[in-house]
Amino acid sequence: EPEVTQTPSHQVTQMGQEVILRCVPISNHLYFYWYRQILGQKVEFLVSFYNNEISEKSEIFDDQFSVERPDGSNFTLKIRSTKLEDSAMYFCASSEQGISGANVLTFGAGSRLTVL
Amino acid sequence: AQSVTQLGSHVSVSEGALVLLRCNYSSSVPPYLFWYVQYPNQGLQLLLKYTSAATLVKGINGFEAEFKKSETSFHLTKPSAHMSDAAEYFCAVRLTGANNLFFGTGTRLTVIP
């Protein structure tokens, strides 16, 4: 069954460092998303991406965050200068359809970011 | 604004007992509703979804959920809990016209042998 793959599975970084989390969405999917889950809290929407541009973003997704689809397969989340509160599990997701249909999101296994 | 509320951050049931995980949504129009499961150290896996085709939705692993508009609820049930059902369960909502999901705070299910 097609799956969304994320790398790395776990990254430890120092505060202030840049981090790039990588995702390979399902090949025929057109919509891509990043969510995050701070330990013990709910899964929160960060950003959605379609047709090489951000289609929607939450208040969490400030200027420290950026997303990119550098080639035909990867979808990346960059955090420019990490803060302690960025420590979380980051989930990538993709979907085939956009605003039509039930739009099932398929999630990756997540990348755990620990900021020291 | 759309949101979901999951009552009970932690539910414990005995193996073989009924599982009931509660989810209520707030929306002025019937949304699309989903239940996702997260097993330890894994990602989110879709259990089932409500798309207005039928109010009773059957999902994987014997789970089902019933959409009740009058109660704005979408509770998840399973007649008989299995040890392998121990996980975190998330209810999520997506409004028509929106591309993203809004998740509840999750309910951790513990199954007691």
Side-chain angles (χ1 to χ4, degrees), chain A residues 3-4 6 9 37 43 89-92 107-112, chain B residues 36-46 60-61 84 86-90 108:
Chain A
E3 59 181 24
V4 175
Q6 291 186 241
S9 57
Q37 183 183 25
V43 177
M89 179 74 90
Y90 288 81
F91 291 106
C92 176
F107 285 84
S111 293
R112 181 167 297 285
Chain B
Y36 280 84
V37 60
Q38 184 182 28
Y39 297 104
N41 301 314
Q42 295 186 31
L44 297 164
Q45 180 182 358
L46 180 69
I60 62 172
N61 302 337
S84 61
E88 186 99 18
Y89 292 80
F90 293 92
R108 181 168 298 280

Side-chain angles (χ1 to χ4, degrees), chain A residues 33 35 42 56 98 101-102 105, chain B residues 34 36 51 94 99-101 104:
Chain A
Y33 313 81
Y35 286 76
K42 66 179 179 180
E56 197 167 347
L105 272 63
Chain B
F34 306 80
Y36 280 84
T51 61
R94 183 180 79 82
N99 255 342
N100 58 64
L101 294 177

Side-chain angles (χ1 to χ4, degrees), chain B residues 50-92:
Chain B
Y50 167 73
T51 61
S52 77
T55 56
L56 183 62
V57 182
K58 294 188 184 298
I60 62 172
N61 302 337
F63 283 92
E64 61 182 36
E66 186 173 8
F67 174 75
K68 292 187 177 180
K69 184 178 178 181
S70 61
E71 299 177 7
T72 60
S73 69
F74 190 59
H75 302 330
L76 182 71
T77 60
K78 182 174 180 178
S80 177
H82 192 274
M83 295 299 294
S84 61
D85 294 327
E88 186 99 18
Y89 292 80
F90 293 92
C91 184

Side-chain angles (χ1 to χ4, degrees), chain A residues 29-32 48-55 69, chain B residues 99:
Chain A
H29 285 187
L30 302 177
Y31 296 81
F32 315 114
S48 60
F49 190 87
Y50 169 71
N51 199 25
N52 284 321
E53 61 183 24
I54 291 173
S55 52
R69 189 158 165 79
Chain B
N99 255 342

